[in-house]
């Protein structure tokens, strides 16, 4: 059984909900990532911020990224997976919610993220094709 913990990239970092989007963009650049999990005051997942959220949801609307916070952009119920979950559960979670990045949690702590690149490294071509068909399908 391959687990989420085995295919994730470790070392993911939270962005506090109170942090501004300009700081979030700087953190994304420093870490070379396109998304950051957002944490509340108790370091619980309250959303995921993407580079697209910053550009489309803030800058393109004429808002100042130095004044808008990561928490302002958090919408809906954030999805995550336990580090011990089987890869089939990872695929189901991502496919059923049409998401491309999934935080990995162990003992209520963020331990990594699973992205498209991680799936491509660890899954068969057939598994990747099935995943992409469901994640990118128009609802």
């Amino acid at each position: 059984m391959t687990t989420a913990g085995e295919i994730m990239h470790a070392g993911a970092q939270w962005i506090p909900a109170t942090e501004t989007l300009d700081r979030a963009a700087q953190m994304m650049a420093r870490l070379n990532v396109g998304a950051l999990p957002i944490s509340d005051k108790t370091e619980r997942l309250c959303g995921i911020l993407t580079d697209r959220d910053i550009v489309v949801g803030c800058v393109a609307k004429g808002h100042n990224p130095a004044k808008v916070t990561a928490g302002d952009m958090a919408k809906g119920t954030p999805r995550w997976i336990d580090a011990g979950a089987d890869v089939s559960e990872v695929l189901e979670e991502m496919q059923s919610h049409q998401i491309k990045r999934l935080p990995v949690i162990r003992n209520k702590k963020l331990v990594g993220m699973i992205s498209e690149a991680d799936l491509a490294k660890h899954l068969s071509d057939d598994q990747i094709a099935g995943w992409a068909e469901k994640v990118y399908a128009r609802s």
Side-chain angles (χ1 to χ4, degrees):
M1 173 175 100
T2 302
T3 66
E6 293 170 329
I7 67 170
M8 72 178 190
H9 58 271
Q13 295 184 22
W14 298 110
I15 182 100
T18 55
E19 193 63 81
T20 58
L21 298 187
D22 61 337
R23 297 283 188 167
Q26 292 166 3
M27 187 175 180
M28 287 179 186
R30 187 177 74 252
L31 297 172
N32 193 31
V33 298
L36 294 168
I38 304 169
S39 69
D40 65 14
K41 295 175 197 161
T42 62
E43 289 198 356
R44 302 290 297 251
L45 182 67
C46 65
I48 295 180
L49 178 69
T50 67
D51 47 8
R52 180 175 169 79
D53 293 333
I54 295 170
V55 173
V56 175
C58 178
V59 177
K61 291 183 177 179
H63 301 296
N64 182 347
K67 301 218 184 269
V68 178
T69 67
D72 294 334
M73 302 301 288
K75 298 178 187 105
T77 303
R79 308 310 307 178
W80 58 274
I81 196 89
D82 185 85
D86 183 75
V87 72
S88 63
E89 295 173 70
V90 171
L91 294 174
E92 175 58 30
E93 185 71 15
M94 295 175 88
Q95 290 168 345
S96 65
H97 297 284
Q98 292 186 303
I99 54 177
K100 300 171 199 154
R101 299 172 180 102
L102 189 62
V104 181
I105 307 291
R106 180 181 292 126
N107 299 323
K108 299 183 182 179
K109 298 289 182 193
L110 177 70
V111 294
M113 288 281 281
I114 296 175
S115 68
E116 292 174 270
D118 298 311
L119 296 178
K121 289 179 200 171
H122 294 92
L123 302 178
S124 71
D125 289 346
D126 288 342
Q127 286 174 305
I128 293 295
W131 176 86
E133 182 179 327
K134 290 177 181 160
V135 168
Y136 286 101
R138 297 236 177 220
S139 298

